[in-house]
Structures are given as C-alpha cells and as structure tokens.
Amino acid sequence: MSLYQATASAPVNIACIKYWGKRDTKLILPTNSSLSVTLDQDHLRSTTTSRADPSFTKDRLWLNGKEDEIKDGGRLATCIAEMKRMRKELEDKSPNEPKLSSYNVHICSHNNFPTAAGLASSASGFAALVKSLATLYALPASPSELSLIARQGSGSACRSLMGGFVAWEQGTSPNGSDSLAIQVAPREHWEDIHALICVVSDDKKGTSSTSGMQRTVETSPLIQHRIRNVVPQRMRDISEAIQKKDFDTFARITMQDSNQFHAVCLDTDPPIFYMNDVSRTIIALVVEYNRVSVEAGGKLKAAYTFDAGPNAVIYAPKENIREIVEMIVNYFPQADPFKDPFGLFGTTGVQ
Ligand code: 2P0
C-alpha cells in the first residue's frame, strides 16, 4: 500500500508596503496592494506535513503538537477544499492518478519560532500548508497560482510562497482571480539587504489584524486617502527602487509606509495602538542614525518598520548591521528588548 505524504516549509515575510483593509472579507481581497521581503533563513519558518489516507474519517490539523479544530466554512476548511478541488481536476484529466481528492487529510504544522513572540505565524503557516498539499497532490501549479489559495487562509500568507521581494497585487476581479502574489525580484538580486528583528515584547497583541483592519475600513477617513492617493505610487516607486538596488528610496518609502499604517490605526474608532515606548525609542534611534549619515553627506543607512505589534524590523545593508545592533544594545543595556537578532538572506545572527 502506498503512503501519500508530503512535507514543505515556508518562511515569514515582513511588509514594506502594508496590507491593511479588505474589500471582501470572505475571499480575503485587500483594499490596497502590498509588498514584502521574505525572510530567507531558517529561524522563522513553518514546516507542514500532510498525509492523505482512505482510512482517515475526517480532515484534522495539529499546530505545534496540539490539535486545532477545522471549522466548517472557516479559512482552513476553505484552503483544504480548494486544494482538493485542484487535485480533482488533475484526476479528471489523468484517470490513472490515485483518487487522493476523495481521501481525508491529516496535517501537522510546526513553527520553529515561539508563536508567542509576536511575530506573524499565519503567513508562514498558511503558505506551508498550501505548499505541502500542492506537493502531496502533485499539482502543476505555479507559486502565484498557489498564492490565490494561501490568500484565503490569511492575506499576508500569499506573499510567503516565494522568496526575495514579493508584491501582492490587489486585483480588480470580484472573484479574486487576479489578487495574487508575484515576485518583484529574487533574493539573489539584492543579497546585501538584511533584516534585523527586535523582539520588543512577546505579549499577545491586543487587537487582531483581522478585526483591527475591518474596524479601520469602517471608521477611518484616512484609510480612504491612503488607498486612493498613496499606495499605488508607493508600489511603483519601491518596485523601481528594488530593481535599482536604491536603498535610500527603499528605506524612505518603507519608513513612510510603516508610519502611515500606524497613523491609520490611530485614525480608527476606537483607536488601535500597536507600538509602545520601546518601539518609539527604536524609531528615534534609527532617525538619528540616518540624520548623522545624511548630514555628513551620506545616505540613509537603515529603515524601521512595525507590523500589528510593538516589535521592530530594521532593514539595512549588511555592512551596517553590526553598528545598528551595537547602537540598540547600547541604548537598552539590559538587552531584554533585543532578544534575538536575525539576519536576512542566509546569515544567522549578526554578532
Ligand atoms: C502586512 N499585516 O502587510 C500587514 C502589516 C499586519 C500589518 O498582513 O485577516 O494576518 O488573516 O488576512 O494577513 C496582517 O494581516 O490578516 C498583515 P488576515 P493578516 O504584513
């Protein structure tokens, strides 16, 4: 008897142009395009094994060793159903293929970073799930095609299906068929850029992204300005900066977009606060670090960005990373806010 099982893994991604707001909450269609960098090393990833077997009585999922309910009509159920639908199409075309689409699946997923660390796990989690089912089902689908399915698990997950610099194009179709991820540039294109994760707090966040962004769409006048007048130009400009390896422009847009995302959160009723005093101190340090460089006739040397929590991610050319770590550790000598420096693109740690 054959064993039908496959394992795949996917890393976390950190957005430079933030996704915040849905125009369709069921299909997970965003109100604006976004762009992220996929962290390409071993520290922050999800690994998922899927198995199909005729003896399984229902679909089941274990997350970090604990069984999670697969709710009918929920995001997990949608992703699994979509993958089975694609497998069925393949079986219909190739009658000799085993009928895996009719078997239930058992899925086992692990994050190699603490979920409590406040770092996005849904992005890597849903990306790894979709990848493992695509491997199990031997689907001839491209990463962009698979991103259409991962998107329905968690919006940001669609950007974790490829490495390097990745755009999620919002699309215009009401059925979501063109709301997918594309690779703007592979990591090899700009290996010099690194990411430093500063774990400011490992508390669970107060307002989930899903409910927070919905409240923003319903109550914030500023988000309308952002959607119409700001993000489209930023998407073009940052993509060009990536093509040209222009760190100055990349950094400026990344910081502006993080600021506007948090402004839009503040503009929500009731307001949402994700950053804390340590986050704001890190912003001040990066601003000062860049000011000294620019005043001496140089360029920006680092860019901060903050997601739906207080943790900072700092993008910088590799040569600046050591200096930035020293600056932050010097300011926070107890080193507590800075538990884990992660290098991007292959380097582990930065010491
Ligand atoms: C991003 N975030 O672009 C932005 C920046 C948080 C701040 O994507 O409801 O967890 O599952 O689609 O993907 C968080 O949103 O939300 C997010 P759902 P998701 O990375």
Side-chain angles (χ1 to χ4, degrees):
M1 196 184 139
S2 308
L3 179 68
Y4 298 111
Q5 178 174 311
T7 299
S9 84
V12 161
N13 71 74
I14 304 290
C16 299
I17 305 292
K18 306 295 188 188
Y19 151 52
W20 197 253
K22 295 181 184 72
R23 63 179 195 279
D24 184 316
T25 52
K26 175 70 184 135
L27 287 170
I28 310 198
L29 302 178
T31 48
N32 63 260
S33 296
S34 55
L35 186 143
S36 57
V37 180
T38 302
L39 300 196
D40 179 42
Q41 38 88 15
D42 290 335
H43 285 296
L44 293 166
R45 54 171 61 237
S46 304
T47 302
T48 303
T49 299
S50 301
R51 183 186 289 192
D53 193 284
S55 73
F56 294 161
T57 53
K58 59 172 186 166
D59 294 330
R60 295 174 74 182
L61 172 98
W62 288 261
L63 196 56
N64 294 319
K66 234 183 105 217
E67 184 161 9
D68 226 20
E69 192 193 348
I70 302 178
K71 291 196 190 80
D72 281 350
R75 294 168 169 207
L76 266 165
T78 302
C79 286
I80 296 168
E82 282 290 295
M83 296 306 286
K84 284 185 179 173
R85 181 187 56 75
M86 286 172 84
R87 170 68 191 185
K88 178 77 169 57
E89 279 176 14
L90 184 142
E91 290 165 5
D92 289 346
K93 276 189 228 142
S94 320
N96 292 333
E97 288 286 335
K99 305 287 181 255
L100 299 191
S101 67
S102 64
Y103 301 171
N104 287 309
V105 285
H106 283 185
I107 300 167
C108 186
S109 187
H110 279 270
N111 297 329
N112 68 350
F113 53 98
T115 309
L119 299 161
S121 57
S122 65
S124 54
F126 276 104
L129 175 115
V130 166
K131 260 175 144 173
S132 85
L133 285 172
T135 310
L136 172 69
Y137 292 158
L139 299 178
S142 68
S144 281
E145 285 172 279
L146 294 180
S147 78
L148 291 165
I149 315 235
R151 189 201 74 224
Q152 297 174 62
S154 189
S156 52
C158 74
R159 300 187 310 239
S160 272
L161 280 159
M162 38 207 104
F165 301 84
V166 181
W168 172 12
E169 296 186 334
Q170 65 183 93
T172 52
S173 166
N175 70 9
S177 60
D178 57 356
S179 186
L180 44 69
I182 55 151
Q183 192 181 52
V184 172
R187 68 192 168 98
E188 296 79 16
H189 168 72
W190 200 4
E191 279 186 317
D192 186 43
I193 192 164
H194 276 53
L196 203 61
I197 318 274
C198 308
V199 179
V200 167
S201 162
D202 57 11
D203 285 352
K204 216 176 155 345
K205 60 188 169 199
T207 306
S208 80
S209 296
T210 306
S211 65
M213 69 174 78
Q214 207 43 38
R215 233 164 65 206
T216 302
V217 169
E218 284 158 11
T219 63
S220 164
L222 181 58
I223 189 100
Q224 299 306 331
H225 169 66
R226 167 171 173 73
I227 292 165
R228 293 195 193 114
N229 308 325
V230 179
V231 174
Q233 188 65 42
R234 279 192 188 153
M235 285 295 291
R236 287 191 285 274
D237 291 348
I238 201 165
S239 300
E240 192 183 315
I242 291 164
Q243 297 303 347
K244 291 184 180 158
K245 301 185 214 174
D246 169 2
F247 184 75
D248 210 67
T249 304
F250 174 87
R252 208 173 293 282
I253 297 173
T254 295
M255 291 188 282
Q256 284 172 343
D257 208 71
S258 175
N259 294 344
Q260 190 174 70
F261 157 54
H262 290 278
V264 151
C265 289
L266 187 61
D267 194 45
T268 301
D269 182 20
I272 306 167
F273 304 95
Y274 284 125
M275 294 191 292
N276 64 18
D277 283 351
V278 176
S279 318
R280 285 184 282 272
T281 301
I282 291 175
I283 292 181
L285 287 171
V286 172
V287 167
E288 179 64 8
Y289 180 61
N290 282 331
R291 187 190 64 78
V292 169
S293 171
V294 170
E295 280 192 4
K299 298 198 159 201
L300 298 185
K301 292 172 82 174
Y304 59 78
T305 189
F306 294 81
D307 283 342
N311 299 325
V313 174
I314 299 175
Y315 287 117
K318 188 172 181 214
E319 59 173 5
N320 301 339
I321 294 285
R322 178 185 294 270
E323 207 171 46
I324 297 164
V325 171
E326 282 168 5
M327 174 176 78
I328 293 175
V329 173
N330 189 36
Y331 202 86
F332 298 103
Q334 69 277 38
D336 216 21
F338 194 73
K339 283 180 198 145
D340 281 301
F342 291 108
L344 177 67
F345 293 166
T347 36
T348 304
V350 288
Q351 287 86 354

